[in-house]
């Protein structure tokens, strides 16, 4: 599979009760501002796409999140994905109707893999991003659910292949070992995913400096790289990152 397409940079915003938060290793949340304003700032700075994750599981949280999606859709002109608490087609419908371009499914798809088929059949593969949180344990890479709290007997590579077969349009792979640590992405696992799949792979977890993005694209063969805190707290400005990647001969949209 030739992966010569333009590489994408995707800021990710974890949203809780209408606020953007970011922790490391899935805990210690600290506030990082209004998601709509942040989204607009990223869009203006040259981000290729955005990802918003609803981390408030309550019904009230859902309502707030859907209203936020509508506001985001009105303010920005780049594609954005939303995820968190998507368990059935009605959830997908509600978020697409609010203006999202894609939805990301994680724990719900592991519990009931047919969800991927249903989304792909009804809305098309391009709408369905299968997010996988995995950790390198002593016995290999395993998938985790419930925000990384529950280990599944499911291997990362088997599940990614199954998701592709069921119609997922992209795989968003977060390495829990690397998340929030800022020492680089899980490039070996990324490369293995890229080798075995034909759909795009989004790298997540581990960005700390510009070189890490370069490595995710060159060593990890990822199609897109997602990051949160390095963008939210201004450590790596997107225009500067893209200029650097261009100089490294990486096909990127400036």
């Amino acid at each position: 599979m030739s992966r010569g397409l333009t590489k994408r940079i995707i800021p990710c915003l974890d949203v809780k009760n209408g606020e953007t938060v970011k922790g490391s290793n899935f805990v210690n949340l600290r506030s990082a501002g209004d998601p709509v304003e942040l989204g607009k700032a990223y869009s203006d700075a040259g981000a290729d796409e955005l990802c918003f994750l609803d981390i408030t599981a309550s019904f009230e949280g859902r309502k707030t999140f859907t209203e936020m999606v509508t506001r985001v859709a009105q303010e920005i002109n780049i594609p954005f994905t939303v995820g968190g608490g998507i368990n059935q087609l009605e959830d997908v419908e509600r978020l697409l109707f609010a203006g999202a371009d894609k939805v990301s499914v994680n724990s719900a798809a592991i519990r009931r893999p047919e969800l991927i088929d249903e989304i792909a059949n009804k809305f098309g593969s391009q709408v369905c991003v299968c997010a996988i949180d995995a950790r390198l344990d002593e016995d290999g890479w395993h998938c985790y659910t419930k925000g990384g709290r529950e280990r599944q007997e499911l291997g990362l590579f088997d599940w990614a292949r199954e998701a592709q077969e069921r119609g997922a349009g992209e795989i968003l792979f977060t390495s829990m070992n690397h998340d929030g640590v800022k020492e680089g992405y899980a490039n070996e696992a990324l490369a293995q995913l890229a080798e075995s799949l034909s759909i795009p792979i989004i790298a997540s977890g581990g960005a700390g400096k510009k070189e890490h993005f370069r490595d995710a694209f060159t060593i990890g063969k990822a199609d897109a790289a997602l990051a949160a805190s390095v963008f939210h707290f201004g450590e790596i400005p997107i225009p500067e990152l893209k200029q650097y990647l261009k100089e490294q001969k990486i096909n990127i949209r400036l």
Side-chain angles (χ1 to χ4, degrees):
M1 157 92 187
S2 123
R3 293 178 174 269
L5 291 169
T6 310
K7 305 294 188 185
R8 292 168 287 149
I9 298 295
I10 309 176
C12 180
L13 298 86
D14 288 343
V15 178
K16 186 179 185 187
N17 303 323
E19 280 278 296
T20 315
V21 289
K22 177 62 193 161
S24 59
N25 292 102
F26 284 66
V27 284
N28 306 328
L29 300 174
R30 43 182 184 160
S31 177
D34 174 48
V36 183
E37 281 175 31
L38 256 179
K40 193 170 166 13
Y42 287 141
S43 175
D44 296 344
D48 298 292
E49 290 185 23
L50 294 171
C51 183
F52 293 88
L53 295 180
D54 178 6
I55 60 173
T56 317
S58 68
F59 174 74
E60 202 29 61
R62 292 272 161 273
K63 196 163 148 295
T64 312
F65 188 74
T66 309
E67 287 162 4
M68 181 215 76
V69 169
T70 306
R71 284 170 53 224
V72 168
Q74 290 163 347
E75 291 288 337
I76 70 170
N77 53 8
I78 55 174
F80 69 99
T81 301
V82 294
I86 295 172
N87 298 304
Q88 51 202 12
L89 277 180
E90 289 76 78
D91 298 323
V92 179
E93 215 147 23
R94 171 170 54 84
L95 294 163
L96 293 177
F97 186 72
D101 296 279
K102 309 178 198 177
V103 296
S104 142
V105 290
N106 190 334
S107 301
I110 288 181
R111 274 198 308 278
R112 196 172 69 79
E114 299 75 31
L115 181 60
I116 295 176
D117 305 71
E118 291 166 7
I119 297 171
N121 291 335
K122 180 150 191 194
F123 303 106
S125 286
Q126 78 288 350
V127 159
C128 185
V129 178
C130 181
I132 305 176
D133 295 331
R135 196 168 82 185
L136 182 54
D137 294 329
E138 282 172 16
D139 55 349
W141 282 96
H142 281 270
C143 298
Y144 278 72
T145 54
K146 302 203 172 149
R149 288 187 293 277
E150 230 168 77
R151 174 177 146 133
Q152 303 294 321
E153 283 319 304
L154 196 56
L156 162 65
F157 303 103
D158 292 340
W159 173 232
R161 263 193 303 275
E162 182 179 339
Q164 170 175 285
E165 281 157 20
R166 287 181 177 275
E170 295 183 87
I171 298 291
L172 165 55
F173 160 52
T174 301
S175 161
M176 293 171 59
N177 309 67
H178 297 73
D179 184 63
V181 187
K182 299 191 176 179
E183 283 169 8
Y185 293 93
N187 293 319
E188 280 176 32
L190 281 166
Q192 203 174 325
L193 283 170
E195 290 294 295
S196 60
L197 302 179
S198 59
I199 57 176
I201 313 293
I202 304 167
S204 163
K209 48 189 197 201
K210 290 180 281 203
E211 290 77 7
H212 295 155
F213 290 88
R214 175 200 63 198
D215 294 348
F217 293 137
T218 53
I219 304 166
K221 301 186 170 56
D223 298 273
L226 177 143
S229 56
V230 290
F231 295 144
H232 300 340
F233 297 105
E235 293 158 43
I236 302 179
I238 292 173
E240 197 180 291
L241 170 62
K242 287 189 142 188
Q243 195 55 54
Y244 164 80
L245 292 170
K246 195 75 163 179
E247 286 158 13
Q248 300 291 312
K249 308 278 185 282
I250 288 161
N251 187 3
I252 200 100
R253 180 183 68 87
L254 285 183

